[in-house]
Amino acid sequence: MILESFHRRYGNERAVRVFRAPGRVNLIGEHTDYNLGFVLPIALDLACFVASADSSDGRLRIYSEEKKQSREWPAEEVARLKRSGDWSDYVVGVAQELIRAGYRLEPKSLLIRSTVPEGSGLSSSASLEVSSALALLTGRQIPPLELAKLCQRAEVDFVGLPCGIMDQYVSIFAREHAALKIDCRSLENQTVELPDGIEIMAVNSMVKHALGQSAYKERTEQCAEAVAAIRRLDSKVSSLRDVTVPLLEAASETMPKLIARRARHVVTENERVGLFVNACARADLDRMGQLLVESHLSLQHDYEVSCPELDFLVDTAVGIGGVLGARMTGGGFGGCTVNLLREGTGERFGNAIVSAYEGRFGVVPQVFECYPSRGAGEEKNFESIPSSAALRG
Ligand code: GAF
């Protein structure tokens, strides 16, 4: 039980409360959030749990069960800490943003337990940020949108990844049994019911390419370059969200070919989100699957954020009976694919994809069944929190 681990580490501190924030799998709308476009993620039952109690000696202590590492500081020094380059940055970054937003940082002891595999593209970072923020606040109210923006700022400004808002937003606003269409400009959302007769599975390539961070930043810069070129034709354009396919075609001659391809991914991907939502409403499973594959091809060839392992997983998946479509999900350069299946075919799919991938790369991929789950909050049912032994598998 998480409480026993907490007491073993910190002694019998005051009342312990636990906060949970889920990871996510993005169904479609990849690399569109920082272009102020549309995304369609679901939250997972994989989540980060942070147990929290007041500490009586003025210090902030944090412990990661996964890393088996602890950090501690006098609470009043946290505002002045610099980035350290490890997992603790997510917690410190969030603490600093809370302070900046006017929330006093109370001395606390925190114990972090996560079931979201790190570097898997399932948003382990955002789930750590959001659950840590809730634990640091321990019941003090914060408007959910402010929480999402504050956690995103922690990642951009303190951790140093210029990410969009999708991961933090869905971790907070997600609904059970449904996907969430997020408009990353207005920051409004719409619940999207998924049709009956499907299963969603994520497959982890177990690859974490070091390239990921620098290439992500490079993509954001390339998108800005495309916007600058398109604005010369249409001054109303302020992000790729405003660009249609005909406008991009008209502007393509005015920018390097590579930049035009990057923009084409974003513009067509935004369209695909709308088409996917419509296909969901019609329960047109084949069209939904087809759109996932189109998204992958665009990420592979135009945006170039895939890798051989992800391409293999997608190519293999679409040849397995019952698979409607598949694509890489998340930032790319490793991590997971998301697979849309006909109901009842999940087990066969799991066996087939594991044996094919192991045969090709000598690595056993993790396979997750994805059930759209609720957004972050206090977890009162301690029994439902996986034990750390279960995490070690
Ligand atoms: C990462 C980022 F954190 C998100 O904001 C998003 O850009 C995603 O990559 C790609 O869609 O998860």
Side-chain angles (χ1 to χ4, degrees), residues 24 29-31 33-34 163-164 166-167 216 330-331:
R24 60 99 190 94
E30 216 66 84
H31 288 275
D33 60 352
Y34 53 83
C163 66
M166 165 169 67
D167 302 350
Y216 189 97

Side-chain angles (χ1 to χ4, degrees), residues 93-115:
V94 157
Q96 292 193 351
E97 286 298 334
L98 283 170
I99 296 167
R100 209 161 284 142
Y103 297 87
R104 207 175 72 79
L105 185 71
E106 290 167 356
K108 300 248 175 235
S109 302
L110 307 184
L111 179 132
I112 300 163
R113 174 177 296 178
S114 183
T115 60

Side-chain angles (χ1 to χ4, degrees), residues 119-137:
S120 60
L122 299 180
S123 191
S124 59
S125 318
S127 62
L128 174 56
E129 289 154 8
V130 174
S131 52
S132 300
L134 293 175
L136 290 168
L137 288 165

Side-chain angles (χ1 to χ4, degrees), residues 15-37:
V16 181
R17 293 170 70 176
V18 180
F19 298 87
R20 165 193 165 278
R24 60 99 190 94
V25 70
N26 188 20
L27 297 181
I28 197 158
E30 216 66 84
H31 288 275
T32 46
D33 60 352
Y34 53 83
N35 290 298
L36 307 186

Side-chain angles (χ1 to χ4, degrees), residues 150-291:
L150 185 152
C151 290
Q152 182 202 11
R153 281 203 301 276
E155 184 141 354
V156 175
D157 295 337
F158 194 76
V159 177
L161 183 79
C163 66
I165 200 164
M166 165 169 67
D167 302 350
Q168 293 81 6
Y169 191 107
V170 69
S171 187
I172 294 164
F173 286 91
R175 317 266 158 76
E176 245 175 323
H177 311 302
L180 203 66
K181 182 184 176 196
I182 307 167
D183 178 333
C184 298
R185 171 174 276 161
S186 72
L187 299 179
E188 284 162 355
N189 68 69
Q190 173 198 337
T191 304
V192 175
E193 304 294 336
L194 297 170
D196 291 338
I198 57 166
E199 281 181 44
I200 299 168
M201 296 188 86
V203 180
N204 188 356
S205 66
M206 315 303 280
V207 173
K208 299 176 199 172
H209 282 298
L211 190 63
Q213 286 240 348
S214 57
Y216 189 97
K217 184 160 177 285
E218 185 187 64
R219 294 301 179 279
T220 63
E221 290 159 2
Q222 290 169 334
C223 291
E225 189 179 336
V227 170
I230 299 164
R231 273 174 72 85
R232 281 182 232 121
L233 283 190
D234 182 344
S235 61
K236 290 193 296 299
V237 168
S238 63
S239 78
L240 287 178
R241 154 71 177 271
D242 303 317
V243 179
T244 58
V245 172
L247 176 58
L248 178 62
E249 277 167 5
S252 283
E253 296 298 303
T254 68
M255 61 183 100
K257 285 202 165 50
L258 177 77
I259 301 300
R261 275 198 287 125
R262 300 292 189 251
R264 185 169 61 188
H265 164 70
V266 177
V267 172
T268 58
E269 184 76 354
N270 266 328
E271 285 192 351
R272 279 187 288 272
V273 177
L275 295 170
F276 189 92
V277 169
N278 293 342
C280 276
R282 297 194 308 273
D284 185 344
L285 308 189
D286 291 324
R287 182 71 180 128
M288 288 166 67
Q290 197 180 32
L291 286 161

